[in-house]
């Protein structure tokens, strides 16, 4: 069994990005600048956004964190987005999800200029992704493609079962892996909460991407020997033995499934760190596009 080590791979990618930033600066180009907007005080969201900002520091990017109160109006949030859209120093920005219920998420994502949408959530960028045109591929599926690439996991002609049809993970992942691309050309089944014969499908899968958000959902009796497992789930589970009172669990029962897997991502330290590295990569791509 080979661990698909996202922590190490993300560190490698960040080192590569840091070198490119030095090169840009040596050529007299501007420093890449990523901004993040966060609404409210959700602990997990704040942790993620802070990690994104910290990662900017490490690769030599500039970063701006805009914190807005839970009670912010949709109009005020749209104004903030407009300011970022026209600020020529900002190369890319993200609005951390989820947003409070009184704000229309789709309206917000559509307000982000597609050229600065380093999350790849704008319909224009989703459309380009679907057509296999150059775009910002959203961080989680992009990170998974990169992990499969760097560990030489074969996808051509393989049967991939993606579990979960979310707009930010399952759906784009299923599209990307079916496309004619280096890490693609797979036969893809997109399974979800209404799928009736899931175990029948997962038992046939050469590669499983688990993104349903149910901790330890995928068990050893649901996979075949030699399977590749990509675990996107990350849920806090109460655990009194831990100092902070919780442990992190993926969508895969790691201990048992790892025994049958050829490749498997750990949680934490698998897909998670890759998403941050790919967000930085998209920001760098935004700068390169402007420079070319
Ligand atoms: N919330 C969970 N994942 C993401 C992500 O990739 N981007 C943003 N903006 N919010 C998220």
């Amino acid at each position: 069994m080979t661990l698909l080590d996202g922590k190490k791979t993300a560190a490698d990618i960040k080192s590569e990005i840091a070198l490119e930033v030095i090169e840009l600066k040596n050529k007299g180009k501007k420093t890449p600048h990523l901004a993040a907007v966060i609404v409210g005080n959700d602990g997990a969201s704040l942790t993620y956004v802070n990690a994104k900002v910290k990662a900017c520091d490490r690769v030599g990017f500039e970063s701006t964190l805009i914190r807005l109160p839970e009670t912010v109006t949709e109009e005020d949030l749209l104004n903030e987005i407009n300011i970022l859209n026209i600020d020529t120093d900002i190369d890319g920005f993200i609005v951390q999800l989820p947003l409070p219920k009184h704000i229309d998420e789709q309206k917000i994502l559509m307000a982000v200029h597609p050229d600065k949408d380093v999350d790849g959530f704008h319909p224009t960028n989703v459309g380009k992704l679907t057509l296999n045109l150059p775009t910002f591929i959203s961080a989680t599926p992009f990170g998974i493609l990169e992990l499969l690439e760097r560990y030489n996991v074969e996808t051509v002609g393989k049967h991939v079962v993606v579990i979960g049809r979310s707009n930010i993970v399952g759906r784009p992942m299923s599209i990307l892996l079916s496309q004619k691309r280096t890490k693609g050309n797979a036969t893809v089944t997109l399974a979800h909460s209404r799928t009736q014969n899931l175990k029948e499908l997962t038992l046939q899968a050469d590669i499983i991407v688990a993104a349903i958000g149910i901790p330890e959902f995928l068990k050893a009796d649901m996979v075949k020997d030699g399977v590749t497992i990509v675990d996107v789930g990350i849920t806090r589970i109460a655990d009194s033995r831990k100092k902070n009172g919780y442990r992190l669990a993926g969508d895969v029962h790691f201990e048992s499934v790892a025994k049958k897997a050829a490749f498997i991502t750990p949680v934490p330290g698998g897909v998670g760190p890759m998403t941050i590295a790919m967000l930085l990569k998209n920001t760098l791509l935004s700068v390169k596009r402007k420079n070319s």
Side-chain angles (χ1 to χ4, degrees):
M1 183 271 287
T2 302
L3 211 57
L4 296 171
D5 187 342
K7 199 171 165 190
K8 182 197 169 288
T9 309
D12 291 346
I13 294 168
K14 281 187 260 183
S15 300
E16 293 159 17
I17 293 172
L19 282 178
E20 288 203 51
V21 173
I22 291 167
E23 271 175 39
L24 280 176
K25 287 179 186 172
N26 286 344
K27 284 188 203 152
K29 307 281 187 194
K30 80 178 278 295
T31 303
H33 189 166
L34 173 70
V37 181
I38 179 155
V39 179
N41 299 304
D42 177 69
S45 289
L46 276 169
T47 306
Y48 292 139
V49 169
N50 283 329
K52 290 171 186 178
V53 169
K54 216 166 99 187
C56 284
D57 263 1
R58 269 199 257 124
V59 298
F61 283 11
E62 287 194 44
S63 63
T64 299
L65 177 61
I66 297 163
R67 287 195 65 175
L68 299 170
E70 183 82 22
T71 51
V72 72
T73 63
E74 194 174 272
E75 193 188 353
D76 285 348
L77 179 54
L78 287 169
N79 275 338
E80 283 295 339
I81 290 170
N82 263 332
I83 291 167
L84 293 168
N85 278 339
I86 57 180
D87 184 339
T88 52
D89 196 59
I90 301 286
D91 301 297
F93 67 96
I94 63 158
V95 181
Q96 187 66 24
L97 305 178
L99 290 167
K101 288 209 164 48
H102 67 278
I103 292 173
D104 181 345
E105 200 163 279
Q106 201 53 43
K107 200 166 166 184
I108 298 303
L109 297 181
M110 284 181 70
V112 177
H113 194 288
D115 293 345
K116 293 194 177 188
D117 170 38
V118 284
D119 255 336
F121 291 167
H122 190 284
T124 295
N125 287 327
V126 177
K128 285 182 176 175
L129 178 140
T130 303
L131 296 170
N132 205 358
L133 297 171
T135 184
F136 296 117
I137 300 174
S138 51
T140 306
F142 196 9
I144 293 169
L145 291 181
E146 194 75 21
L147 263 183
L148 297 175
E149 166 107 41
R150 291 190 185 224
Y151 279 88
N152 294 314
V153 177
E154 184 59 85
T155 59
V156 179
K158 301 296 179 190
H159 184 198
V160 180
V161 173
V162 178
I163 314 173
R165 56 183 155 181
S166 73
N167 287 340
I168 66 177
V169 185
R171 178 89 46 199
M173 193 75 259
S174 69
I175 294 167
L176 288 160
L177 286 168
S178 72
Q179 285 172 338
K180 283 184 190 166
R181 55 170 63 243
T182 320
K183 283 300 143 202
N185 284 304
T187 304
V188 181
T189 301
L190 181 54
H192 47 76
S193 55
R194 300 294 179 96
T195 299
Q196 290 194 343
N197 53 347
L198 183 64
K199 187 172 168 183
E200 233 171 79
L201 296 170
T202 54
L203 276 169
Q204 291 172 31
D206 301 302
I207 300 172
I208 299 174
V209 179
I212 38 164
I214 303 173
E216 294 169 349
F217 173 82
L218 192 78
K219 306 276 199 299
D221 67 340
M222 297 169 76
V223 307
K224 69 177 181 185
D225 281 321
V227 69
T228 292
I229 301 284
V230 177
D231 188 351
V232 182
I234 186 153
T235 309
R236 287 181 181 187
I237 296 186
D239 187 338
S240 56
R241 288 168 301 178
K242 299 276 177 184
K243 219 161 69 181
N244 52 12
Y246 68 85
R247 68 182 173 90
L248 294 171
D251 288 352
V252 177
H253 190 265
F254 184 88
E255 206 184 312
S256 62
V257 173
K259 292 192 180 110
K260 294 177 91 175
F263 297 91
I264 185 166
T265 60
V267 175
V271 174
M274 290 299 292
T275 65
I276 297 184
M278 302 325 275
L279 177 66
L280 300 176
K281 215 170 159 84
N282 274 342
T283 308
L284 186 62
L285 178 63
S286 175
V287 174
K288 285 185 189 167
R289 273 191 193 162
K290 275 197 274 183
N291 288 344
S292 66

